[in-house]
Amino acid sequence: MQELDYKIEAKNGLKFRQLYGGIQDVLIPEMYVEQTTRKVLIMEWVEGQKLSEVKDLYLIEVGVYCSFNQLLEKGFYHADPHPGNLFRSYDGKLAYIDFGMMGEFKEELREGFIEACLHLVNRDFDALAKDFVTLGLLPPTAEKEAVTKALTGVFQNAVAKGVRNISFGDLLGNLGATMYKFKFRIPSYFSLVIRSLAVLEGIAISSNPNYKVLGSTYPYIARKVLTDSSPQLKSSLVALLYKEGVFRIDRLESLLTESLRARTEKALIKKQTEDTDSRLITKEILSFTLTEKGAFVREILLQEFAKGLDALGIATLDYFTSAVIPFAAPFSFSSLTEEDRINLTNLRRLLLLLSRVQSSKSASVVRVLLVQDHDAVHCDVFKQLVIIILQEVKEGSIYKNQTTYSEEASLVFYQLASAQEVLPILSVIPELPPELQQEFLHLPADLAGRLISRAAARTIRRMFL
């Protein structure tokens, strides 16, 4: 009967307004707490139409963003967002009313929910089974292997088409039999959270049958994982990006790409991030990694760049050794390892990620490097070296055990050699704020220090092997 106590509702509304009233195009009516009694609520009058009666996908996106803040940032959320409680005000804002039923989402559960979303999208169903225990959905005694197998069967097809096509309703529907078999428990908080998201998706579907609330929420989740200072989320990010010490760059690419979609501005709702020009995307990635919030990801990127450049140096040395002393090739010993090959691949993909330029995947195709005359001085040597290496690989004259490594090195050289691909990264630097430009200038020294450390470690290993 707490909902009948309007003093409690007024305090809920006041707190909700303080937490979320500053979000762009969100309207939360003012509460007159002093004038409110237990049976009479005094609040600001709101006029408008039910959100379910107007086709306004922009306000749906605003609602998704506001829901993300409620559920995964602050933890205080509107637990009864049915169509009658969400309005489009006459000045075009999303208005919330009725604060009688509210929920609290504790921090450890918020982080567990974020981890569950990450593991679901990345099809890590073993980790997802553990998340369900953390969230209180499964008892700690549940048979993890059996649960993992069941979850794989339930979710594999649902996530196969990508995060933007995952239907929240379908996920819940498919989970029903598995929940019964493994005696899932549904905590009260979870019921309210699921109801809140399901209602929002239902309203959105009335305007756009293909709308997916999880697909719209995931960019904010991706950005939070990349920027949050929580030790638990940092640990989750490392576990997501590394498997047995190997960097999984495809997952970082996915997180960064999705995080760039975390917008609510009207112009950007109409024109999604993937349609934005590569220059803007490059600028945004650099801006993010150079800020304090991007420090953890920046450390990971610098570490992987150092690994890649170290491997590139070894690949170059091996190539020239076999080229200068061709008769020694049958007896040559390649310094490159399988780890180096992976690091070369990652270096090339990191360059592509930053420049957002498509590159040929075949090392046997020599492409013409189109540069202006004023660029020729800077890249002519690189161009000639790339053409030579690519031609050697094409003709098969490089020692065959080194071919894979040379191909990888050739593609990295190509990426570095083309002014058209590298200059977009550098050309956006003057457009960054002065403090970020200063941060960028510190990167070469930091990277050089890491390369020296790797070279020293490699030398020490050789001395004792």
Side-chain angles (χ1 to χ4, degrees):
M1 300 296 289
Q2 277 192 338
E3 190 169 353
L4 297 178
D5 188 341
Y6 288 124
K7 281 191 173 183
I8 294 176
E9 182 169 344
K11 290 178 181 179
N12 287 340
L14 180 63
K15 181 177 180 179
F16 197 81
R17 178 183 171 93
Q18 290 170 343
L19 291 175
Y20 314 116
I23 295 176
Q24 181 178 334
D25 290 326
V26 168
L27 172 62
I28 300 162
E30 186 175 351
M31 297 289 164
Y32 298 95
V33 180
E34 296 299 324
Q35 289 76 24
T36 295
T37 68
R38 187 173 179 277
K39 294 186 177 182
V40 179
L41 174 65
I42 310 297
M43 59 178 282
E44 179 184 357
W45 183 260
V46 177
E47 291 190 1
Q49 297 173 278
K50 291 181 181 180
L51 187 60
S52 58
E53 296 176 352
V54 294
K55 293 186 177 182
D56 194 331
L57 284 179
Y58 166 67
L59 285 189
I60 294 293
E61 293 288 340
V62 171
V64 167
Y65 178 64
C66 189
S67 294
F68 166 79
N69 276 272
Q70 293 173 51
L71 297 172
L72 302 179
E73 287 285 358
K74 307 297 184 183
F76 183 69
Y77 63 94
H78 197 302
D80 192 23
H82 62 73
N85 288 340
L86 296 172
F87 281 76
R88 182 188 187 278
S89 66
Y90 289 138
D91 59 350
K93 295 183 178 181
L94 176 63
Y96 285 82
I97 63 170
D98 189 354
F99 305 100
M101 188 182 296
M102 310 298 289
E104 293 275 0
F105 207 9
K106 295 180 180 179
E107 184 175 4
E108 61 269 23
L109 295 176
R110 298 200 301 266
E111 292 181 346
F113 192 83
I114 289 171
E115 289 173 322
C117 289
L118 277 178
H119 295 145
L120 172 66
V121 170
N122 288 280
R123 308 180 200 184
D124 191 345
F125 299 116
D126 181 58
L128 184 61
K130 297 175 183 176
D131 296 331
F132 281 5
V133 174
T134 301
L135 292 169
L137 297 172
L138 279 172
T141 56
E143 181 57 49
K144 302 296 191 303
E145 290 186 10
V147 172
T148 298
K149 185 176 180 180
L151 292 178
T152 302
V154 169
F155 293 136
Q156 186 73 49
N157 292 333
V159 301
K161 296 180 181 179
V163 63
R164 302 182 198 186
N165 296 303
I166 297 176
S167 168
F168 191 74
D170 289 347
L171 286 180
L172 294 178
N174 295 339
L175 192 58
T178 302
M179 293 176 70
Y180 180 78
K181 178 179 179 181
F182 291 97
K183 296 179 173 58
F184 272 57
R185 301 175 296 193
I186 307 298
S188 57
Y189 83 86
F190 192 78
S191 298
L192 293 175
V193 168
I194 295 304
R195 181 168 182 262
S196 175
L197 293 175
V199 166
L200 198 59
E201 183 167 82
I203 295 174
I205 287 174
S206 66
S207 300
N208 178 6
N210 297 318
Y211 189 86
K212 304 293 186 291
V213 71
L214 184 57
S216 292
T217 305
Y218 189 69
Y220 302 106
I221 293 175
R223 175 160 290 190
K224 183 171 178 63
V225 170
L226 290 171
T227 61
D228 202 274
S229 60
S230 161
Q232 182 176 334
L233 291 184
K234 283 185 176 181
S235 176
S236 296
L237 178 60
V238 171
L240 186 74
L241 297 182
Y242 290 89
K243 183 177 183 179
E244 298 177 354
V246 177
F247 182 51
R248 295 187 281 190
I249 188 173
D250 56 315
R251 293 191 169 186
L252 179 61
E253 286 176 328
S254 174
L255 283 171
L256 284 172
T257 301
E258 288 297 325
S259 71
L260 293 178
R261 295 199 300 124
R263 314 293 174 75
T264 56
E265 292 87 346
K266 290 183 180 179
L268 292 175
I269 295 301
K270 295 176 182 177
K271 185 176 177 63
Q272 294 296 326
T273 302
E274 57 264 28
D275 298 324
T276 307
D277 63 81
S278 60
R279 181 182 179 82
L280 177 59
I281 295 175
T282 300
K283 181 178 178 180
E284 290 175 346
I285 292 176
L286 284 174
S287 296
F288 160 68
T289 54
L290 292 173
T291 60
E292 184 178 349
K293 283 190 173 183
F296 189 66
V297 173
R298 183 168 68 247
E299 285 296 307
I300 292 175
L301 288 173
L302 284 172
Q303 176 178 303
E304 295 307 319
F305 262 113
K307 290 179 181 178
L309 290 173
D310 179 48
L312 181 61
I314 299 301
T316 305
L317 182 61
D318 279 2
Y319 167 74
F320 279 116
T321 299
S322 63
V324 174
I325 317 175
F327 59 83
F331 310 100
S332 64
F333 174 75
S334 175
S335 303
L336 284 162
T337 64
E338 179 65 18
E339 180 185 351
D340 290 324
R341 187 194 68 77
I342 293 171
N343 290 336
L344 279 171
T345 301
N346 287 340
L347 176 61
R348 180 165 59 89
R349 290 181 66 177
L350 283 171
L351 288 167
L352 285 172
L353 175 64
L354 289 176
S355 64
R356 305 298 292 187
V357 177
Q358 296 298 317
S359 178
S360 171
K361 295 183 180 180
S362 172
S364 62
V365 178
V366 180
R367 291 168 55 186
V368 178
L369 303 178
L370 299 175
V371 293
Q372 300 298 324
D373 290 340
H374 61 273
D375 293 325
V377 174
H378 300 288
C379 64
D380 189 60
V381 175
F382 252 149
K383 286 164 56 182
Q384 295 304 317
L385 178 60
V386 173
I387 292 172
I388 291 171
I389 294 177
L390 287 171
Q391 193 62 36
E392 291 287 337
V393 173
K394 180 181 178 182
E395 296 174 359
S397 59
I398 293 178
Y399 183 46
K400 65 179 181 180
N401 289 336
Q402 294 176 234
T403 299
T404 302
Y405 306 130
S406 298
E407 288 179 0
E408 221 42 81
S410 300
L411 288 172
V412 175
F413 269 126
Y414 181 87
Q415 190 71 23
L416 289 169
S418 173
Q420 287 187 325
E421 294 179 358
V422 176
L423 287 180
I425 303 175
L426 301 178
S427 65
V428 302
I429 301 301
E431 300 175 14
L432 299 177
E435 62 274 15
L436 296 188
Q437 293 183 36
Q438 288 297 317
E439 192 65 43
F440 182 82
L441 293 176
H442 295 155
L443 296 183
D446 194 347
L447 188 58
R450 293 167 191 264
L451 282 168
I452 292 171
S453 297
R454 287 191 62 83
R458 192 186 287 268
T459 301
I460 292 172
R461 285 199 302 270
R462 287 180 175 176
M463 289 173 60
F464 291 96
L465 288 178

